[in-house]
Amino acid sequence: MPRYKRGFDTQAATEHLARRDRKLGAWMKRIGPIAPDPRWRKTFDPVDALARAILFQQLSGKAAATIVGRVEAAIGSDRFHCDTLGQIDDAGLRSCGVSGNKTRALRDLALRESRGEIPDLRRMSTMPEEDIVAALVPIRGIGRWTVEMMLMFRLGRADVLPVDDLGIRKGAQVVDRHEVMPTPKELQERGECWSPYRTYASLYLWRIADSATKAAAPTNRSQD
């Protein structure tokens, strides 16, 4: 059974993308190299990571961190699992600031873990990206985008292109100098030339979108 490496050669990715896409390559040269993510080398627990992803959804980082801290204190653990989440009832989660929808999502996550439905890190190392997506998106509160972020930033998969992400679509629009953002289907087709390093292309597209947003922002000028 093949194993999928965590992380990839960013220099090889740079050379491939510059060769296959001159427009993107010009932007990459302007921005400079993006270093490998240190999280690619760090072990992590997928169940705990998914629970935290649920808690952080639609909240500022500070607000979410406060709620996470309250839940950790209530369960007496800094790891979220079916056994530790079982230490608190729904009312207790709500008193920590967890919404009703997120409470139900955490319960579904814990139930699926107890049934052995969520692959651990070792098992994920043998699974193609689409198999991981298929295994995790049935969890309440977990969408494809959340799984794609795990694939890119935690598992270090080299060929992930989140076509529904607005930042990546905006970056592609800037690269191609189009009037409107590409549709997810158009972006999927546009990104074929970036394979097998679509993750690295995505990292640049986010930065390109950010630079375009900053360039378009109004500047304050002092009045004489």
Side-chain angles (χ1 to χ4, degrees), residues 142-162:
I142 298 297
R144 183 181 182 90
W145 183 88
T146 299
V147 182
E148 288 172 335
M149 295 305 103
M150 177 184 287
L151 288 167
M152 295 173 69
F153 296 107
R154 304 303 295 270
L155 293 172
R157 295 296 177 93
D159 203 27
V160 180
L161 179 61

Side-chain angles (χ1 to χ4, degrees), residues 56-108:
F56 269 79
Q57 287 171 358
Q58 299 178 326
L59 292 175
S60 69
K62 183 177 181 180
T66 297
I67 292 172
V68 167
R70 291 172 183 164
V71 176
E72 289 177 339
I75 65 177
S77 174
D78 61 358
R79 294 174 72 94
F80 297 133
H81 283 277
C82 59
D83 53 349
T84 58
L85 289 171
Q87 301 298 314
I88 187 173
D89 60 16
D90 290 0
L93 285 171
R94 296 301 299 273
S95 69
C96 291
V98 181
S99 70
N101 282 338
K102 291 183 180 181
T103 294
R104 288 187 285 274
L106 290 174
R107 295 304 183 205
D108 186 49

Side-chain angles (χ1 to χ4, degrees), residues 8-10 12-18 20-21 24-25 27-28 31 34 40 152-153 157-162 165 167-172 175 187 190-209:
F8 54 90
D9 185 338
T10 56
T14 298
E15 294 172 358
H16 172 83
L17 294 171
R20 295 295 302 276
D21 190 331
L24 179 59
W27 273 98
M28 292 171 66
I31 292 170
I34 297 177
W40 293 345
M152 295 173 69
F153 296 107
R157 295 296 177 93
D159 203 27
V160 180
L161 179 61
D165 187 279
I168 291 177
R169 291 170 60 198
K170 177 63 177 178
V175 167
L187 180 58
R190 173 69 175 85
E192 287 298 324
C193 68
W194 303 329
S195 185
Y197 294 111
R198 287 180 291 184
T199 293
Y200 206 51
S202 298
L203 299 182
Y204 275 100
L205 291 173
W206 272 315
R207 295 203 181 189
I208 293 166

Side-chain angles (χ1 to χ4, degrees), residues 117-128:
E117 298 176 9
I118 302 176
D120 60 16
L121 196 56
R122 180 182 294 274
R123 184 177 163 200
M124 283 186 181
S125 70
T126 65
M127 297 171 66

